[in-house]
């Protein structure tokens, strides 16, 4: 059962529940527009107080926040990262995502296209393989080819970065979209670990138009920020990489927090989902 000892948990506990099957049926949104915000964790209860009536929260066996771990993969030249850093019109990310509470795992290829649209291709994956793409390499190549991004098919994909966090997912009424709230944010690469315990990433996901939650955030003076858990996190850990798209975000939210040395020698070894 989820604890109700924090203000955020108490706020989530007051919302009506929605089950996973209904959430997926009503708001899977594999093709969507995402808007991301960096919000102080202690401001979340007040902001969530402005949610539309009938907003519901994902509830699985009484739990309302869930532990996620993602392993991001890239080519030796960091093709995926550089596509994001140089704002290529079409770009991609390859990752495994493990739901640590249930030990479910997916291999995912995310494609970013015009006007902020995102398409996600997903393959069920064995948790023990979370640190490698080898069992799913044909799936990756097929997804990239389907999206006319097949130039990486001859390159290896290696584990580059691990992120983990806790996520709550909200279903908005009238099928206008869903919202995710990620807290306890941690990034780990080959050398360093970076934690931002005081910040949450709030992401609205809708077919196109802004959601009521976007409007609540705007009224509170918060605007969408450029942040990618993979690319921004890697730029925060590796100052030798280009960071122009996220420079304002990095200076405001990341640079004051110093990474600490990693305990292992490679993200693949440090992944806890195997």
């Amino acid at each position: 059962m989820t604890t109700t000892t924090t203000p955020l948990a108490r706020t989530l506990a007051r919302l009506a529940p929605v089950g996973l099957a209904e959430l997926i049926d009503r708001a899977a949104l594999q093709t969507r527009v995402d808007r991301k915000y960096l919000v102080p964790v202690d401001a979340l209860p007040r902001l969530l107080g402005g949610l539309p009536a009938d907003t519901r929260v994902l509830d699985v066996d009484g739990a309302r926040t869930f532990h996620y771990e993602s392993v991001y993969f890239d080519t030796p030249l960091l093709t995926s990262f550089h596509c994001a850093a140089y704002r290529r019109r079409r770009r991609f990310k390859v990752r495994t995502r493990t739901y640590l509470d249930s030990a479910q795992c997916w291999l995912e290829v995310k494609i970013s296209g015009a006007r902020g649209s995102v398409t996600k291709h997903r393959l069920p994956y064995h948790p023990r393989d979370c640190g490698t793409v080898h069992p799913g390499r044909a799936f990756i190549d097929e997804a990239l080819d389907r999206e006319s991004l097949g130039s990486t098919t001859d390159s290896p994909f290696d584990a580059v970065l691990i992120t983990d966090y806790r996520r709550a997912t909200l279903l908005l009424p009238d099928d206008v979209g869903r919202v995710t709230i990620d807290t306890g944010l941690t990034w780990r690469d080959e050398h360093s670990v970076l934690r931002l315990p005081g910040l949450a990433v709030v992401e609205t996901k809708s077919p196109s138009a802004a959601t009521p939650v976007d409007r609540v955030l705007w009224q509170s003076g918060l605007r969408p920020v450029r942040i990618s858990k993979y690319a921004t996190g890697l730029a925060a850990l590796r100052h030798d990489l280009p960071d122009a798209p996220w420079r304002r975000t990095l200076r405001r939210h990341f640079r004051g927090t110093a990474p600490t040395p990693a305990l292992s020698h490679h993200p693949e070894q440090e992944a806890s989902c195997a």
Side-chain angles (χ1 to χ4, degrees), residues 170-186:
L170 309 178
L171 176 65
L172 300 177
D174 302 319
D175 297 333
V176 298
R178 59 187 169 92
V179 180
T180 58
I181 303 168
D182 298 339
T183 57
L185 300 160
T186 302

Side-chain angles (χ1 to χ4, degrees), residues 23-225:
L23 178 74
I24 292 173
D25 181 60
R26 294 182 57 184
L29 297 175
Q30 296 300 88
T31 300
R32 64 195 188 223
V33 173
D34 297 343
R35 298 174 183 86
K36 300 176 183 178
Y37 304 81
L38 280 169
V39 180
V41 170
D42 58 10
L44 288 172
R46 176 181 57 82
L47 294 171
L48 294 179
L51 289 172
D54 301 325
T55 297
R56 294 193 284 167
V57 60
L58 176 63
D59 184 297
V60 179
D61 297 328
R64 297 194 168 190
T65 65
F66 307 92
H67 194 182
Y68 285 41
E69 181 174 84
S70 297
V71 182
Y72 289 90
F73 301 87
D74 213 334
T75 68
L77 296 177
L78 298 181
T79 303
S80 173
F81 172 86
H82 284 98
C83 282
Y86 294 115
R87 305 300 296 170
R88 298 288 186 257
R89 180 177 165 275
R90 290 174 57 76
R91 49 197 184 274
F92 69 93
K93 283 186 281 194
V94 176
R95 72 185 180 200
T96 58
R97 168 167 286 174
T98 304
Y99 304 87
L100 295 177
D101 301 291
S102 62
Q104 294 184 5
C105 185
W106 297 81
L107 175 64
E108 299 182 342
V109 181
K110 288 183 68 175
I111 309 295
S112 298
R115 297 182 179 144
S117 67
V118 176
T119 303
K120 185 190 295 184
H121 305 271
R122 305 182 85 201
L123 176 72
Y125 218 54
H126 199 292
R128 72 180 175 219
D129 295 323
C130 72
T132 177
V133 300
H134 294 307
R137 182 57 198 260
F139 169 80
I140 294 170
D141 292 342
E142 180 183 352
L144 293 176
D145 284 340
R146 193 183 314 157
E147 301 284 350
S148 301
L149 289 165
S151 60
T152 61
T153 53
D154 294 329
S155 298
F157 279 93
D158 298 315
V160 173
L161 185 73
I162 298 172
T163 67
D164 66 78
Y165 48 92
R166 296 199 67 86
R167 169 167 288 186
T169 301
L170 309 178
L171 176 65
L172 300 177
D174 302 319
D175 297 333
V176 298
R178 59 187 169 92
V179 180
T180 58
I181 303 168
D182 298 339
T183 57
L185 300 160
T186 302
W187 290 264
R188 312 194 298 277
D189 73 352
E190 184 177 0
H191 304 290
S192 304
V193 179
L194 177 65
R195 296 178 176 87
L196 293 180
L199 282 177
V201 174
V202 175
E203 187 168 353
T204 64
K205 308 165 193 285
S206 66
S208 58
T211 71
V213 174
D214 291 289
R215 289 187 279 275
V216 167
L217 292 166
W218 298 343
Q219 290 166 5
S220 299
L222 295 167
R223 292 293 183 269
V225 299

